[in-house]
Amino acid sequence: MNLEELEKLLQGCGVALYDTEIANENGRQIYRVYITKSGGVSLDDCEVVSKLLSPIYDVMPPVSGDWVLEVSSPGLERKLSKIDHFAKSIGEMAKITLNDKSQIIGKITSVNGDDIALSSDEGSLSLNFNDIKKAKTFIQW
């Protein structure tokens, strides 16, 4: 199943696809499906999606070998790996590592095409999405 098909299935459950990932933890391969919903994702939402996807993935596994399916919300501090993730996180703080390994911390103020505007202690700056190695939102306590 491709991501477009997955997105359509999830819409039928009242949630949206945020991202997927394959992780290896404690010798287990995990296929994670992150979902979002206005007002937040509940445990019931995760259960509904898991019950929907399990029989499909039993027939068409998303990864080879032994694996486990996990469905969850991306959380308050979440990975920003797509330009759409930045657009949906306007107004939130982000920690960004650039391809040159420098780091920036700032509030996402706007997204225009591949350009992401941030407000930081050093002032306003603009980054191109392609210059970002990794990024995530974070909460200041």
Side-chain angles (χ1 to χ4, degrees), residues 71-88:
V71 178
S72 72
S73 102
L76 292 175
E77 293 188 347
R78 61 200 174 280
K79 183 171 65 169
L80 302 170
S81 59
K82 300 175 185 174
I83 195 70
D84 187 48
H85 293 167
F86 285 89
K88 290 179 179 176

Side-chain angles (χ1 to χ4, degrees), residues 34-107:
Y34 294 106
I35 58 174
T36 60
K37 178 173 96 171
S38 179
V41 173
S42 70
L43 189 56
D44 288 340
D45 294 323
C46 294
E47 181 181 6
V48 166
V49 170
S50 182
K51 286 182 178 179
L52 172 71
L53 295 179
S54 287
I56 294 169
Y57 286 154
D58 284 345
V59 176
M60 297 183 299
V63 295
S64 59
D66 292 333
W67 59 277
V68 175
L69 173 65
E70 283 185 7
V71 178
S72 72
S73 102
L76 292 175
E77 293 188 347
R78 61 200 174 280
K79 183 171 65 169
L80 302 170
S81 59
K82 300 175 185 174
I83 195 70
D84 187 48
H85 293 167
F86 285 89
K88 290 179 179 176
S89 299
I90 291 174
E92 296 184 59
M93 295 295 294
K95 289 182 184 179
I96 299 171
T97 302
L98 300 176
N99 291 330
D100 67 5
K101 297 190 169 109
S102 62
Q103 293 190 332
I104 298 169
I105 295 175
K107 183 183 282 190

